Amino acid sequence: MNLFSDLLKEFNVPGERLVDLGCGTGNSSVELQKSGYRVTGVDLSPAMVAAARGKEEMRGIDFLVGGLTDLPIPDAQFDAAVSAGEVFHYLSDDGELDAAFAEAARVLAPAGLLIVEVNTELSFRVLSRAPNIRRSDDGFISFSPLAPTDFSPGEAIDLEVDSFARVAGDLWERSVTRHRLRHLTHERVLASLASAGLEFVSVRGFHGGALEDGLDDGRHPKALYVARRTGSVA
């Protein structure tokens, strides 16, 4: 989460109140708290929120159940909103994407910053062709396309996700879930930001453990979009 903290400082977040959109079990929330922010985490899954609330290291963080398109938060409550991982890729169509950005704008105070992580075209091409294995905090995760195919920008892909977590010694626990992720083109993200009344500030592509200026869909597997609320939002 240092990348998020660095961007928040670079673009002068106007205060310490921060909402973590799609916080899951709170791993991103606690890292943001360590950076000095007063964090509220929001996730659609009651089970995820319950798990986050049960962790000792999450003390001092508020966790709420709610979706990106219907946040359980009053207007203008936060100086920053962030979303890490694949959260925005679960939105099924342009209408949901527009609604999610509009909700983020609604809960931001004037001059508040929004930072959203997205997977790029490169990442979706890799995921759509063959299994991909990543390390997690306590094991590893395998992403396998249900129907390997050539990917087209803006389309969705269906994945089977196998998570392996070490329980004790040589014992591992496996869980299998299925996910549909929709690729978000650069043009679509900019259009949704504009529809929400958010000013596009910057996009940084991720490569080799660091952020680079601009976005190269053939080089960067991930990107971070930065936008700002400049005034009242309808």
Side-chain angles (χ1 to χ4, degrees):
M1 296 306 294
N2 287 338
L3 299 177
F4 285 83
S5 297
D6 290 347
L7 289 175
L8 289 168
K9 293 174 183 176
E10 178 182 350
F11 293 105
N12 300 314
V13 63
E16 300 175 349
R17 302 170 302 168
L18 183 148
V19 59
D20 183 6
L21 304 174
C23 64
T25 58
N27 293 333
S28 53
S29 299
V30 73
E31 292 303 317
L32 289 161
Q33 184 190 53
K34 290 177 182 177
S35 296
Y37 297 101
R38 292 159 43 202
V39 179
T40 296
V42 181
D43 198 272
L44 184 62
S45 168
M48 292 283 193
V49 169
R53 288 172 176 163
K55 295 180 180 179
E56 179 64 25
E57 64 269 27
M58 304 297 173
R59 183 175 296 179
I61 301 174
D62 292 327
F63 290 100
L64 306 173
V65 175
L68 294 179
T69 61
D70 187 21
L71 296 173
I73 298 168
D75 295 352
Q77 291 295 297
F78 293 98
D79 304 299
V82 305
S83 180
E86 286 77 30
V87 180
F88 271 70
H89 292 291
Y90 285 95
L91 299 169
S92 62
D93 55 38
D94 291 348
E96 284 197 347
L97 185 65
D98 290 347
F101 278 118
E103 276 292 89
R106 181 184 64 78
V107 302
L108 284 173
L113 282 178
L114 171 66
I115 302 178
V116 175
E117 178 181 349
V118 302
N119 288 343
T120 66
E121 184 177 331
L122 172 61
S123 182
F124 269 76
R125 288 194 185 283
V126 171
L127 288 172
S128 67
R129 289 174 179 167
N132 183 270
I133 298 175
R134 303 177 189 172
R135 290 183 178 273
S136 65
D137 291 338
D138 57 359
F140 61 95
I141 303 174
S142 172
F143 299 83
S144 302
L146 291 177
T149 185
D150 288 333
F151 165 76
S152 295
E155 290 185 347
I157 59 174
D158 293 302
L159 300 172
E160 185 169 89
V161 179
D162 290 82
S163 300
F164 296 86
R166 189 185 297 276
V167 178
D170 294 330
L171 295 177
W172 291 76
E173 183 178 74
R174 178 193 181 200
S175 62
V176 181
T177 55
R178 290 188 174 184
H179 303 259
R180 169 163 285 191
L181 302 179
R182 177 175 174 247
H183 174 246
L184 306 175
T185 66
H186 178 67
E187 293 75 17
R188 183 62 254 171
V189 173
L190 295 186
S192 288
L193 289 173
S195 75
L198 290 162
E199 176 191 12
F200 169 69
V201 175
S202 180
V203 61
R204 302 287 173 84
F206 182 79
H207 179 79
L211 293 178
E212 301 176 341
D213 288 335
L215 172 62
D216 183 340
D217 267 312
R219 172 180 172 83
H220 300 135
K222 287 183 174 290
L224 292 178
Y225 282 85
V226 183
R228 188 185 301 277
R229 177 177 172 178
T230 57
S232 62
V233 177

